Amino acid sequence: MVFNARTSSLSRAAVVSFTTLLAAPVLAQDVGGEALEEVVVTGTNIRGAVPIGNPIQTLGAEQIAESGKATVAELLRELPVNFAGGVAQADNNRGGQDTSSAGSNLTGGSGVNLRGLGALSTLVLVDGRRVATSGQFGDFVDVANIPAAAIERIEILQDGASAVYGSDAVGGVVNFILKRNVEGLQTLARIGTLTEGGGDELQASAAWGHGWDSGRVTLGYEYNDRGRVTAADRDLNGDLSSRGGINWPIYTTHVGSAANIFPGTASFNGNVAYTVPQGPGTGLTVAQLTPATGGFGNSSNPWNGWDILPEMKRHSLFLTFDQDITDGIATHGSARYTRRDGNYHTGYVDIYGAVPTTNPAYIGGIGAPNSPNNFSVLVDDILTQRDVQVDSYGADLGVTFDIGGDWQLDVTGSYSREIQNRQSQLERDANIDDFVAGAGGGRVAAPNSVACSLMGLNSSNIGSIAAPSAAQRFCAGLNYETFNPYSTEPLSAQVLSQLIGYEDLEFDSWVRQGTVKVDGTVFELPGGPLKLAVGVDYRKEYIDGELEFNYRSIDPVNMPYGATEREVKAAYAEFAVPLVGDRNSLAGMRALDLSLAVRHEDSQGLGDFTSTDPKFGLRYKPIDSLTVRASYGTSFHAPPMRFAYDGPQPVPGGNAIFYANAFYTAPCNTTLVELIQPQVPNASGACPFVGMVVSGGAGPTLQPEEADTWTAGLEFLPESVPGLLLSANYFNMQIDNRLVRITSGALGGILANYFATGTSPYLSNLVFNPDDALVQSLFDDPRFIGLQGPGVTRTPSQVAAIIYATQTNLASLKMDGVDLGASYGFDTGIGEFEVFANGTLLLSYDIQATPGGRYEDRLGKYESTGNPVKLKSRQGVSYRRGAFGVIATINYTDSYECVSGCYLPGATGAPTLNTAPVQIDDWITLDLQFNYKFEGAGGLLSGAGVGLSVLNATNEEPPFVDTGRIVTGNAPESYDAANAIISGRAVALTLTKSF
């Protein structure tokens, strides 16, 4: 919709700083004398009507430019209403499936997570049109592909809006409005760096526009180049003991450049019997080995060679236009393209395996006669890498027809597409493509490439074995060069190619949308025109991909990644009813407006659904300076198509079933799961169990997530105190059939919490001591890829737990809270000041794991799944004098606690689970922005400006928490990436010039 707004110099200063509180009614005030500007507002289908019942938060182009943030993703992350948990580019790429480019977030994209409900529940639009989804699961929109230079403003609706937009608008809507009114050339150059090292950044953009009597056009380009930040830049090495945590490498990184030898199955946290000396590693005897003290052996820095943030480059082009065709007929459109390329350093490959007697380096006398040497070794000859690319396209074209009175017909079509690609170097420790004869005439998986490299057999020496097994014959036929894990000398290129393979995954997602809408005045009421919008909407969503790899095979395998599609048809209507307005206002009732919207949406394809969602809004003004508003509505989120697709996807984070001997551990005295016998406690006192994981899509049984939301708020601009604005908005929602999934990054914390408490919100996804028939059915499933990691193969009866790391409909979530804001702008003899504060205070966040079960309070409770904290806020002061301005902003994230699943050092320093809550401190950072515009200057300085930003000016470190990674063996972190970042102080200089 469209309404008019004027701004003065003082109000612009307020807008720059008070970025997250401005609402449509505030913007609509006549607060100055400058030219009228058309503003399109999110949250309604009716032109000329203010959204009734909800405020719209607005971030304008000036705020974006002066924020000190290079990208819109960085800007949105700072908003109190946006919680970083869920799909977002985390500070490290070793995180779980959501945050990591190693998992479902293929290219390290950035999502938006309003209300802490996850990016699934936030609808992201560009000019009101849908955008193609990103990630292996198509479960978020990547805002990192939207250039800041193209944005006129960002509008945020913090309420359910399925009655207007359909699926996905549960937590709210973020709408990027593109520039359309540029006149002349606007340029920007920005250089920045992180003072703690790494992260050098260069950004440049240009936007040109021109208008004429019947139309206008804007086109532009933006370039962004950010350097990598390595773990070494932030002194990450896994040893948290100096901060009161665990020295994790000695307990959970039992691998080094010189090999360790284990008495049982080799694992990252298993007991080490011996270490191997430096040298060629041939002809060794037990006497030449060094007994490991305390079972620790050689260890290494699990962060060595890893990036926290990758190197990333982005090129973006954009175009918008409007043109009158004839009287009463006009056309409008836009197009945009982004190419983003990234490179990750992903550390060194650690190999846990077994040296058989056929390997010339085999050391006799360890364990039972002729039993293999179980070993670990770090292959530090090559630093592995991951390359990612994204091609992002978007276009829309519409025609409007004036059809009588103020009625208008709008026909608009749009298309958006994301082509993502990831190429990774990975250990060749699985084989899902080849099979050999098994016992009893059946087939079993053939040895993987690493196992065959260790076999030491080829076509020349296989004849020395009297009765070679099928596995031995298979490996001999490859004629591999033998891998000697006991050698510390450089490996040959041939051996490295046998140990380290590749994955090349391309993922293609697109959405086509067509809308026909008519809106206008039905008739006049005493309070103003009653307006109506009706329309129909059609969209088709499609996702497919292609995968090539050899890290889970011997020869390269090429396979489709499974196509999914969905067609959605919708019809909607919306009324805006002004009962009391300027013409019939009374004392105590200056305005009273009602709104009613309803939308019916029907989907056919993978994951069918039908939903009808209403929304009611009220706006009441007892006096001109006070606005009271309320709303009620239902909303829903259909399961992403990839959530409902359960075809084979043999990639990290994809649809697969596997089991592991060494990945999952529990306290050795637990009775909750059957442990591997005989028990061999690792150095941290935990014992492994055989765990089977079912990951990826859950199939078409998933149901849409459904929400009931009501809000009530007020906005006060007292005439007696010009420049003062107070705002509060209460929200209350219940979400049923909540869509969640267990990610690899979250699994460790979930299991640790379960073994500590005996229960879990994810209990329906955990099956301990399963029935043999159930396990056998998973062995027979086409998604089954067998054993992952070291150790012996298992039968179904030896699997102790099944972990369904798939999407699931968790029973229910209840939450409520208040969005608070205040600002006061005043003019003095020395300049214009404004003090401001805004934030989101959550009052409850309760999860019900099973229907009929009790609700568990998860507010302010640490979990690796990213529960929200009680309060996030931004507050500060701005000052402007003539051409000079400065803004100081304090960002606050409330303290919270880890009730269970965190680690403390025991008496010997070994990790022990906390038995009492561990406090995680609040995090307070200071941002400074200085801006100067060369107003009235001539020559090169005409139209120029300069800005200096210092983010986290005091270089505050994230609050410390040791969540460990003992259960799954990932690298330990010293902070919670869902609520803090580790990049440190960022300094940037920005130059702008208009021609």
Side-chain angles (χ1 to χ4, degrees):
M1 60 151 285
V2 177
F3 69 92
N4 295 322
R6 296 186 179 97
T7 57
S8 68
S9 60
L10 178 58
S11 67
R12 280 198 304 272
V15 165
V16 168
S17 55
F18 193 46
T19 55
T20 64
L21 189 61
L22 296 181
V26 181
L27 288 173
Q29 292 185 101
D30 185 356
V31 292
E34 296 187 0
L36 290 174
E37 178 190 3
E38 281 196 331
V39 181
V40 179
V41 175
T42 303
T44 178
N45 287 306
I46 300 175
R47 294 171 300 117
V50 173
I52 297 170
N54 297 117
I56 302 296
Q57 300 183 2
T58 302
L59 305 173
E62 188 176 3
Q63 298 99 289
I64 296 171
E66 296 183 355
S67 68
K69 309 295 194 300
T71 67
V72 295
E74 295 172 3
L75 179 67
L76 290 173
R77 177 166 182 153
E78 296 299 321
L79 299 184
V81 73
N82 184 35
F83 292 80
V87 180
Q89 180 169 316
D91 280 5
N92 71 76
N93 67 83
R94 294 197 70 157
Q97 289 175 209
D98 280 341
T99 57
S100 170
S101 64
S104 68
N105 189 354
L106 291 178
T107 60
S110 298
V112 184
N113 181 11
L114 297 182
R115 301 286 187 219
L117 299 175
L120 283 169
S121 300
T122 299
L123 177 63
V124 176
L125 306 171
V126 174
D127 280 340
R129 312 300 295 177
R130 290 195 175 244
V131 182
T133 54
S134 294
Q136 285 178 202
F137 293 109
D139 55 0
F140 72 102
V141 170
D142 187 0
V143 298
N145 297 328
I146 303 174
I151 297 171
E152 178 64 28
R153 66 192 173 279
I154 306 169
E155 296 176 348
I156 304 170
L157 172 65
Q158 297 171 202
D159 192 19
S162 291
V164 176
Y165 297 108
S167 178
D168 307 343
V170 175
V173 181
V174 177
N175 192 7
F176 294 88
I177 308 298
L178 302 183
K179 290 179 177 177
R180 312 189 82 89
N181 292 298
V182 176
E183 190 63 41
L185 179 64
Q186 300 175 351
T187 61
L188 178 146
R190 181 182 188 274
I191 55 172
T193 192
L194 301 176
T195 60
E196 294 300 294
D200 293 344
E201 192 162 24
L202 171 65
Q203 184 162 315
S205 67
W208 174 86
H210 179 62
W212 52 94
D213 290 343
S214 60
R216 57 194 177 188
V217 65
T218 298
L219 58 90
Y221 166 77
E222 182 174 279
Y223 172 75
N224 181 271
D225 184 348
R226 185 194 66 201
R228 72 180 77 250
V229 180
T230 68
D233 290 331
R234 296 299 177 272
D235 298 324
L236 288 178
N237 59 16
D239 183 358
L240 309 182
S241 58
S242 64
R243 303 188 65 182
I246 312 299
N247 183 358
W248 285 102
I250 66 172
Y251 295 101
T252 61
T253 314
H254 291 175
V255 61
S257 298
N260 291 321
I261 297 179
F262 298 77
T265 299
S267 68
F268 63 90
N269 56 2
N271 275 324
V272 177
Y274 302 99
T275 61
V276 175
Q278 299 279 333
T282 57
L284 293 174
T285 65
V286 174
Q288 295 172 286
L289 305 180
T290 301
T293 302
F296 292 134
N298 294 321
S299 64
S300 56
N301 173 9
W303 284 104
N304 187 24
W306 279 88
D307 287 342
I308 298 174
L309 289 173
E311 176 183 275
M312 196 73 73
K313 295 181 180 180
R314 174 173 54 81
H315 299 268
S316 298
L317 296 166
F318 56 92
L319 165 73
T320 64
F321 68 89
D322 299 272
Q323 178 64 53
D324 293 340
I325 299 174
T326 64
D327 288 344
I329 303 177
T331 185
H332 55 87
S334 70
R336 63 189 186 279
Y337 168 74
T338 288
R339 168 76 182 201
R340 184 160 58 87
D341 294 270
N343 174 263
Y344 294 77
H345 288 169
T346 53
Y348 301 96
V349 169
D350 46 13
I351 295 180
Y352 297 86
V355 176
T357 58
T358 52
N359 189 312
Y362 177 79
I363 304 172
I366 300 175
N370 296 321
S371 63
N373 301 156
N374 299 305
F375 76 94
S376 69
V377 70
L378 187 71
V379 180
D380 54 8
D381 302 71
I382 181 172
L383 178 64
T384 62
Q385 301 188 49
R386 180 184 306 124
D387 292 313
V388 298
Q389 301 89 34
V390 181
D391 288 289
S392 177
Y393 307 84
D396 65 83
L397 179 64
V399 181
T400 60
F401 304 86
D402 294 338
I403 56 177
D406 66 351
W407 284 84
Q408 186 179 89
L409 172 67
D410 189 329
V411 181
T412 299
S414 60
Y415 176 78
S416 176
R417 186 176 187 181
E418 297 272 320
I419 301 175
Q420 307 165 82
N421 189 261
R422 178 181 72 197
Q423 302 101 31
S424 303
Q425 292 177 298
L426 300 163
E427 181 185 353
R428 302 183 69 181
D429 60 350
N431 190 350
I432 66 171
D433 188 57
D434 299 294
F435 298 87
V436 297
R443 293 199 317 160
V444 297
N448 60 58
S449 186
V450 171
C452 285
S453 299
L454 290 164
M455 195 81 74
L457 297 174
N458 53 50
S459 57
S460 300
N461 62 18
I462 186 66
S464 63
I465 301 176
S469 67
Q472 290 174 326
R473 291 194 300 271
F474 175 84
C475 289
L478 301 177
N479 286 312
Y480 271 5
E481 183 178 334
T482 301
F483 168 44
N484 177 4
Y486 303 144
S487 172
T488 57
E489 296 177 351
L491 299 175
S492 70
Q494 176 60 40
V495 169
L496 288 173
S497 72
Q498 296 166 193
L499 302 179
I500 301 172
Y502 70 90
E503 171 218 59
D504 187 344
L505 175 62
E506 183 176 286
F507 203 70
D508 192 355
S509 169
W510 55 258
V511 57
R512 293 198 299 254
Q513 184 180 8
T515 306
V516 179
K517 183 191 75 172
V518 61
D519 73 313
T521 298
V522 180
F523 52 78
E524 290 289 332
L525 292 173
L530 184 151
K531 295 194 172 185
L532 167 67
V534 294
V536 293
D537 185 82
Y538 168 84
R539 70 179 184 271
K540 184 174 182 177
E541 303 168 355
Y542 183 87
I543 299 175
D544 71 357
E546 188 171 351
L547 172 66
E548 182 180 315
F549 62 87
N550 75 348
Y551 81 105
R552 284 180 168 168
S553 63
I554 300 299
D555 297 320
V557 173
N558 187 285
M559 61 183 297
Y561 201 56
T564 55
E565 66 179 27
R566 172 182 290 162
E567 287 188 331
V568 182
K569 301 172 184 176
Y572 58 87
E574 181 179 349
F575 288 93
V577 185
L579 298 178
V580 179
D582 292 340
R583 292 179 294 187
N584 65 338
S585 61
L586 305 170
M589 186 171 290
R590 307 300 300 168
L592 178 62
D593 300 286
L594 302 177
S595 67
L596 167 62
V598 63
R599 181 179 177 115
H600 177 80
E601 197 157 280
D602 181 81
S603 168
Q604 300 296 319
L606 187 60
D608 295 350
F609 65 86
T610 298
S611 184
T612 301
D613 294 277
K615 185 170 184 178
F616 305 89
L618 177 146
R619 183 172 69 99
Y620 166 56
K621 293 175 70 72
I623 56 177
D624 289 334
S625 58
L626 177 64
T627 299
V628 179
R629 55 179 174 256
S631 69
Y632 168 78
T634 66
S635 54
F636 78 102
H637 175 78
M641 290 186 293
R642 287 305 197 188
F643 281 28
Y645 175 75
D646 55 4
Q649 296 174 332
V651 300
N655 297 348
I657 301 172
F658 63 87
Y659 67 89
N661 293 300
F663 292 173
Y664 313 112
T665 61
C668 293
N669 62 351
T670 187
T671 59
L672 297 175
V673 66
E674 184 178 340
L675 302 172
I676 294 176
Q677 300 296 328
Q679 289 187 14
V680 182
N682 58 37
S684 57
C687 291
F689 62 89
V690 179
M692 171 173 276
V693 172
V694 182
S695 69
T701 59
L702 289 176
Q703 300 299 310
E705 181 178 287
E706 300 173 338
D708 282 69
T709 305
W710 65 271
T711 69
L714 58 85
E715 197 167 79
F716 185 44
L717 294 92
E719 297 176 358
S720 59
V721 188
L724 176 64
L725 168 63
L726 302 173
S727 177
N729 191 67
Y730 173 81
F731 59 91
N732 184 296
M733 64 174 63
Q734 176 169 331
I735 305 175
D736 296 321
N737 293 326
R738 178 98 169 95
L739 286 166
V740 297
R741 64 190 174 99
I742 297 178
T743 68
S744 60
L747 179 55
I750 290 170
L751 290 176
N753 180 71
Y754 172 75
F755 291 127
T757 65
T759 187
S760 170
Y762 302 91
L763 200 58
S764 61
N765 289 62
L766 306 174
V767 180
F768 293 98
N769 306 314
D771 182 78
D772 290 354
L774 174 60
V775 180
Q776 183 63 57
S777 70
L778 296 176
F779 271 58
D780 297 335
D781 193 289
R783 295 170 293 172
F784 184 65
I785 59 176
L787 171 68
Q788 300 296 290
V792 299
T793 58
R794 301 287 180 173
T795 64
S797 64
Q798 295 173 303
V799 173
I802 300 173
I803 302 156
Y804 288 93
T806 60
Q807 295 77 15
T808 186
N809 288 114
L810 198 65
S812 184
L813 166 69
K814 290 181 179 179
M815 69 179 300
D816 71 334
V818 185
D819 298 317
L820 297 168
S823 70
Y824 179 50
F826 54 95
D827 200 350
T828 70
I830 60 172
E832 300 171 346
F833 288 87
E834 186 205 11
V835 291
F836 60 91
N838 58 90
T840 295
L841 173 66
L842 295 184
L843 303 176
S844 67
Y845 188 89
D846 301 332
I847 293 176
Q848 180 192 52
T850 57
R854 67 183 181 89
Y855 281 87
E856 297 183 14
D857 175 19
R858 307 311 300 166
L859 179 60
K861 305 293 193 297
Y862 168 81
E863 284 183 335
S864 50
T865 48
N867 294 326
V869 297
K870 292 182 179 179
L871 174 65
K872 287 186 68 176
S873 66
R874 287 169 62 83
Q875 45 274 310
V877 61
S878 70
Y879 168 75
R880 186 177 295 275
R881 180 179 176 88
F884 174 74
V886 59
I887 307 169
T889 305
I890 296 174
N891 309 289
Y892 177 78
T893 300
D894 200 9
S895 61
Y896 53 114
E897 63 182 8
C898 178
V899 176
S900 61
C902 292
Y903 288 86
L904 299 170
T908 63
T912 59
L913 282 166
N914 65 306
T915 56
V918 174
Q919 185 75 9
I920 304 172
D921 293 336
D922 54 18
W923 194 43
I924 304 173
T925 61
L926 171 66
D927 295 344
L928 300 173
Q929 287 92 37
F930 304 89
N931 301 287
Y932 184 81
K933 295 182 179 179
F934 295 94
E935 297 176 351
L940 289 176
L941 294 180
S942 176
V946 61
L948 174 67
S949 66
V950 186
L951 307 181
N952 192 1
T954 57
N955 202 30
E956 293 295 321
E957 292 187 354
F960 174 75
V961 59
D962 190 345
T963 62
R965 288 296 183 265
I966 189 171
V967 177
T968 55
N970 296 332
E973 302 163 356
S974 58
Y975 70 105
D976 176 12
N979 289 301
I981 58 176
I982 200 174
S983 50
R985 184 191 297 113
V987 180
L989 178 68
T990 302
L991 304 175
T992 59
K993 182 170 174 58
S994 299
F995 298 88

